[in-house]
């Protein structure tokens, strides 16, 4: 296959081809050491948008048996890079890899400090909540998701407290290195505001209802139906439209400023 055929392709078809290629290669290389591969995110919720200027993600979680050698993590990274190089440079296959026991209480058992390399140990409760909400087993036992624990709301509050600290530490580290932090710009880039607003909406809904809704295409409508007094509905409707029609408002500074202001206020709302 021509390695450049899909180099800028971000279509849903190509994203699924990449997921299949990644899975087949992992099964071939790891054999019995591979326990499961689970798909989450927009491909799993039928909300993948295969157009626009930004890159896209295939949100998958690779789970190894506890007996797997540590170098198996490195092999998954090699496979991930090989598949992205072969298909599309603009679709990122997530590099989330756990061992079986990582996904069972107690979480944070590794005593991980807030560092870039430990991000996925901090996000285990969120990954589990996503898996339980809409995860699809791509490889592994059909009942695999049923065997996993769903975090309680109290555990999610604890997670978000840890996650905020992780974020603060990462920003401090980036500033010390003289690196650019995109949210230091004002108004924020439209794609950042949209991503922030919809992610915030997902957790606003969860902490107000105790229910999950991870589809970024549908979260605004869900909130409008179930929490009709939410004062951020207008902004959420607009960011949903922007997500579905990327590029429509990219040169509209008024919309960019309006969304950034609303999202900043929404972001500062204490949910936890």
């Amino acid at each position: 296959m021509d390695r450049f055929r899909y180099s800028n392709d971000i279509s849903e078809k190509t994203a699924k081809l990449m997921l299949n290629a990644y899975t087949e290669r992992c099964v071939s290389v790891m054999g019995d050491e591979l326990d499961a591969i689970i798909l989450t995110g927009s491909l799993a919720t039928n909300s993948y948008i295969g157009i626009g200027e930004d890159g896209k993600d295939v949100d998958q979680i690779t789970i190894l048996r506890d007996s797997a050698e540590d170098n198996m993590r490195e092999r998954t990274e090699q496979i991930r890079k090989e598949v992205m190089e072969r298909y599309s440079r603009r679709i990122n296959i997530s590099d989330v890899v756990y061992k079986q026991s990582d996904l069972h209480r107690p979480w944070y058992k590794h005593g991980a400090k807030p560092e870039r390399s430990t991000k996925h140990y901090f996000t285990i409760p969120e990954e589990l909540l996503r898996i339980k909400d809409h995860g699809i087993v791509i490889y592994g036992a059909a009942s695999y998701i049923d065997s996993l624990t769903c975090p309680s709301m109290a555990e999610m509050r604890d997670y978000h407290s840890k996650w905020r600290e992780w974020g603060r530490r990462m920003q401090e580290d980036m500033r010390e290195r003289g690196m650019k932090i995109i949210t230091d710009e004002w108004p924020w880039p439209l794609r950042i505001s949209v991503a922030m607003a919809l992610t915030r909406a997902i957790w606003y809904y969860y902490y107000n209802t105790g229910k999950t809704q991870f589809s970024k295409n549908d979260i605004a409508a869900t909130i409008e139906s179930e929490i009709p007094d939410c004062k951020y509905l207008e902004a959420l409707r607009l960011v949903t439209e922007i997500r579905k029609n990327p590029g429509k408002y990219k040169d509209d500074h008024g919309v960019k400023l309006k969304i950034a202001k609303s999202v900043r206020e929404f972001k500062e709302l204490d949910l936890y």
Side-chain angles (χ1 to χ4, degrees):
M1 184 181 74
D2 182 353
R3 65 183 295 190
F4 298 109
R5 179 181 175 189
Y6 299 99
S7 60
N8 288 308
D9 186 356
I10 58 172
S11 68
E12 183 174 354
K13 178 181 177 181
T14 297
K16 288 180 176 178
L17 282 172
M18 291 174 68
L19 174 64
N20 290 338
Y22 173 83
T23 301
E24 289 172 4
R25 186 71 176 132
C26 283
V27 171
S28 174
V29 170
M30 298 173 196
D32 291 340
E33 301 294 357
L34 179 64
D35 203 35
I37 294 176
I38 299 176
L39 178 68
T40 62
S42 60
L43 274 183
T45 60
N46 295 316
S47 58
Y48 185 91
I49 305 292
I51 56 175
E53 297 178 356
D54 299 326
K56 304 297 177 181
D57 295 298
V58 173
D59 296 313
Q60 64 78 37
I61 300 164
T62 300
I63 305 167
L64 305 175
R65 296 189 186 278
D66 285 344
S67 59
E69 299 290 336
D70 287 342
N71 67 0
M72 284 297 183
R73 293 179 186 272
E74 297 173 4
R75 289 298 290 122
T76 63
E77 178 63 10
Q78 292 172 0
I79 293 168
R80 189 179 75 90
K81 289 180 177 178
E82 288 169 5
V83 171
M84 290 191 295
E85 179 65 22
R86 180 185 178 193
Y87 284 92
S88 177
R89 298 165 181 169
R90 295 179 59 206
I91 299 178
N92 176 65
I93 299 175
S94 61
D95 58 346
V96 182
V97 181
Y98 296 118
K99 287 192 173 182
Q100 291 168 307
S101 58
D102 292 334
L103 298 179
H104 296 279
R105 296 184 180 96
W107 299 309
Y108 320 116
K109 60 176 69 72
H110 296 276
K113 296 180 180 179
E115 299 172 353
R116 192 167 301 279
S117 62
T118 63
K119 173 183 176 181
H120 299 312
Y121 288 121
F122 277 88
T123 59
I124 287 172
E126 180 175 342
E127 299 289 6
L128 284 168
L129 203 64
R130 290 180 185 277
I131 289 171
K132 299 296 275 189
D133 178 74
H134 61 268
I136 299 172
V137 177
I138 303 300
Y139 173 83
S143 60
Y144 196 93
I145 291 174
D146 294 336
S147 71
L148 298 175
T149 301
C150 186
S152 67
M153 187 175 288
E155 288 170 324
M156 290 306 300
R157 291 184 194 280
D158 179 60
Y159 154 69
H160 274 117
S161 175
K162 288 180 168 63
W163 183 239
R164 285 197 301 270
E165 177 60 21
W166 187 91
R168 283 194 292 267
R169 293 284 188 90
M170 291 306 98
Q171 286 198 349
E172 289 172 5
D173 180 65
M174 290 175 70
R175 287 193 174 96
E176 288 175 2
R177 296 172 182 229
M179 298 172 67
K180 178 182 178 182
I181 298 176
I182 202 161
T183 51
D184 284 347
E185 298 179 24
W186 186 258
W188 295 329
L190 197 55
R191 64 183 179 83
I192 298 298
S193 290
V194 168
M196 282 184 174
L198 294 174
T199 299
R200 190 67 169 173
I202 286 167
W203 296 117
Y204 175 86
Y205 177 73
Y206 173 72
Y207 283 113
N208 276 277
T209 68
K211 296 184 288 186
T212 52
Q213 165 58 282
F214 283 101
S215 171
K216 290 181 178 177
N217 281 0
D218 300 327
I219 185 61
T222 301
I223 290 175
E224 186 167 10
S225 173
E226 299 187 31
I227 316 174
D229 60 345
C230 174
K231 69 177 185 177
Y232 302 103
L233 279 175
E234 182 183 354
L236 289 176
R237 290 190 202 103
L238 183 54
V239 297
T240 301
E241 181 182 352
I242 294 169
R243 183 177 191 273
K244 293 179 178 180
N245 300 281
K248 182 177 180 180
Y249 297 95
K250 69 176 183 178
D251 298 321
D252 191 325
H253 184 76
V255 168
K256 183 178 179 181
L257 185 60
K258 178 181 178 179
I259 291 296
K261 286 179 177 178
S262 295
V263 174
R264 182 169 63 181
E265 183 180 346
F266 194 22
K267 188 171 181 291
E268 291 173 353
L269 184 69
D270 184 13
L271 298 182
Y272 319 122

